[in-house]
Amino acid sequence: MMNLNFYKGKCVLLTGHTGFKGMWLSLLLLQAGAEVTGYALDVPTEGGAEALQRLGILTEMRDIRGDVRDLSALSRAFDEAKPEIVLHLAAQPIVRESYRQPVDTFAANVMGTVNLLECVRMSDTVQSALVVTTDKVYENKEWAWGYRENEPLMGYDPYSASKSCAELAVYSYRQSFFADGGVRLSTARAGNVIGGGDFAPDRIIPDCIRAAVREQVIEIRNPHSTRPYQHVLEPLSVYLTIAAQQAENPRLVGAWNVGPDDADCVTTGALADIFCRAWGAGARWQTHADGGPHEAHFLKLDCSKLKAELGWQPRWHIREAVEKTVEWAKAWEADADMRAVTEQQIDAFFA
C-alpha cells in the first residue's frame, strides 16, 4: 500500500509537527526525501520538547511556530512553503481538556481547520490536502459494530463535537471550491494511537509509563471502556497513502476511517494488562474512578473502505504496538540514541 517515493522532492506543509504524531510524521517525510515545513505551537509537554531535541528533526526542516487560529500567520507560512501537499494535524486533542477549555478547543479545531482550508483555497501550489480528525466524530450509540464513513456525525463532548464541525467545514470547502478536482481534499478519522514519544496527560499509555517508571501502581479510570488502539505508524502510513493516492486519482477524495482490526479494539483494562506484561518489573494497575466527565464506553470503526480501496492491512497488532511503545520508553529512560531507536522501529514497520 505505502510507497514513500511519491514524497521525494515534494514540498509538504505539516501543521502540528511539534506534537506526538507530528514528530513521527516529520521523520517519515524527511526519510522519504520531502522538503518539510512545519507550522505549530511550541511543544505542550516537557517530554515532547526534549524528544524533538533528541531526535534532531527540527534542524532538517523549516520550523515555523504559529497558531492555526491566526489566519495571517498561517497564510505567511503557506507563502513561504509553497506546499504541494498539506497535512493538517494541529489540534487540541484531549477530551478532558476540552471540558476545561471548550472555547479554545472549538477555536483551534474548527476555526483552525477553516483557516487551513482558506489557505489551501488561496494557494496556487497545493495539489492534495488531508485533514486529520478523530473516530469520535460519530454520533456514538454504543453499538457493538464499527461506524462507517456515511454514519451521522455528532460528537458528544467539546473535543468530539469540534472535530465533527471540522468534518463539515472540509465537506463544505470540497463541494464549494474544489469540486473541479483542482485540489484533492480528504479527511482521516483516526482511532486512538500509541507509541514512543507521547507525553500527553490523560492518555492511557503515557499514564502507564509515568507510573511504571516511578514504580507506582497504575491508576485506570474506565477499565471497561472499549477503544480501537493502534501504533502511531499505522495511521501515519495511511495519511501519507491517502494524500499521495488522491493526488493521482480524484475518485479517492472523501472521508476515511483509519483504525485497527476488530481484534485490536480492547478494553482499557485489557490494554493495561498487555502493558504490564510488556513492561515487567512487577508493573500492575488498579481502578481509580475519579467521577470525571462523560466519555464513551464503546467505540470502534469499520475500516472496510480503507481495505477495499487502498488495500490496507495492519502491520502491528495491539500486543506488538504496546511492546514497541515500551521498547521506546525504556530506551528513552536509558538515554539511548532516540533517533536511531525511532528509525529502527520505522524500518521494522515498513520491512
Side-chain angles (χ1 to χ4, degrees), residues 293-325:
H294 170 275
E295 294 188 59
H297 291 289
F298 192 92
L299 178 63
K300 68 179 180 180
L301 298 174
D302 182 330
C303 296
S304 303
K305 177 184 172 184
L306 189 62
K307 293 178 178 180
E309 298 281 327
L310 298 181
W312 174 82
Q313 292 293 335
R315 288 172 168 85
W316 288 346
H317 291 284
I318 186 68
R319 291 182 189 282
E320 193 163 11
V322 172
E323 287 164 5
K324 293 294 184 184
T325 305

Side-chain angles (χ1 to χ4, degrees), residues 278-298:
W279 190 272
R284 62 190 181 89
W285 65 272
Q286 65 186 14
T287 301
H288 177 71
D290 60 3
H294 170 275
E295 294 188 59
H297 291 289
F298 192 92

Side-chain angles (χ1 to χ4, degrees), residues 195-218:
D198 186 3
F199 297 92
D202 285 333
R203 279 200 191 135
I204 174 65
I205 291 296
D207 286 348
C208 285
I209 292 169
R210 281 186 283 266
V213 166
R214 299 185 194 116
E215 299 183 353
Q216 296 173 343
V217 178
I218 298 162

Side-chain angles (χ1 to χ4, degrees), residues 143-174:
W143 284 332
W145 54 88
Y147 294 90
R148 294 171 297 183
E149 287 86 351
N150 59 355
E151 306 276 7
L153 303 178
M154 196 177 291
Y156 181 106
D157 55 84
Y159 166 74
S160 304
S162 71
K163 288 293 195 171
S164 301
C165 294
E167 286 276 353
L168 294 174
V170 172
Y171 177 82
S172 173
Y173 264 76
R174 186 168 57 238

Side-chain angles (χ1 to χ4, degrees), residues 61-275:
M61 61 190 288
R62 186 186 282 117
D63 171 27
I64 302 175
R65 298 303 165 94
D67 195 322
V68 290
R69 293 170 292 189
D70 185 340
L71 178 57
S72 60
L74 186 57
S75 297
R76 288 194 296 273
F78 266 75
D79 291 341
E80 197 175 328
K82 295 180 171 51
E84 299 159 88
I85 310 295
V86 175
L87 301 165
H88 180 48
L89 275 66
Q92 191 300 96
I94 308 293
V95 170
R96 284 161 72 95
E97 180 63 19
S98 79
Y99 281 104
R100 290 186 284 266
Q101 301 285 348
V103 173
D104 286 349
T105 299
F106 276 97
N109 296 354
V110 183
M111 285 313 300
T113 299
V114 171
N115 289 342
L116 183 283
L117 294 169
E118 186 63 11
C119 289
V120 170
R121 184 174 78 89
M122 301 306 293
S123 166
D124 56 7
T125 58
V126 177
Q127 303 163 6
S128 177
L130 181 71
V131 173
V132 175
T133 62
T134 175
D135 57 352
K136 300 174 184 67
V137 295
Y138 295 107
E139 181 182 8
N140 188 358
K141 299 183 177 179
E142 306 281 350
W143 284 332
W145 54 88
Y147 294 90
R148 294 171 297 183
E149 287 86 351
N150 59 355
E151 306 276 7
L153 303 178
M154 196 177 291
Y156 181 106
D157 55 84
Y159 166 74
S160 304
S162 71
K163 288 293 195 171
S164 301
C165 294
E167 286 276 353
L168 294 174
V170 172
Y171 177 82
S172 173
Y173 264 76
R174 186 168 57 238
Q175 299 302 111
S176 301
F177 306 115
F178 309 132
D180 62 356
V183 175
R184 315 288 166 75
L185 174 64
S186 289
T187 59
R189 301 166 179 174
N192 293 24
V193 297
I194 61 175
D198 186 3
F199 297 92
D202 285 333
R203 279 200 191 135
I204 174 65
I205 291 296
D207 286 348
C208 285
I209 292 169
R210 281 186 283 266
V213 166
R214 299 185 194 116
E215 299 183 353
Q216 296 173 343
V217 178
I218 298 162
E219 306 278 4
I220 302 296
R221 290 197 307 269
N222 302 305
H224 304 297
S225 295
T226 298
R227 295 283 188 281
Y229 293 98
Q230 56 187 341
H231 191 272
V232 64
L233 287 171
E234 299 280 3
L236 298 188
S237 67
V238 174
Y239 302 164
L240 292 174
T241 299
I242 294 169
Q245 299 252 3
Q246 72 179 6
E248 310 288 342
N249 183 357
R251 189 181 60 81
L252 295 175
V253 300
W256 296 87
N257 281 344
V258 183
D261 279 350
D262 282 1
D264 300 316
C265 295
V266 299
T267 65
T268 308
L271 183 70
D273 286 337
I274 295 167
F275 173 85

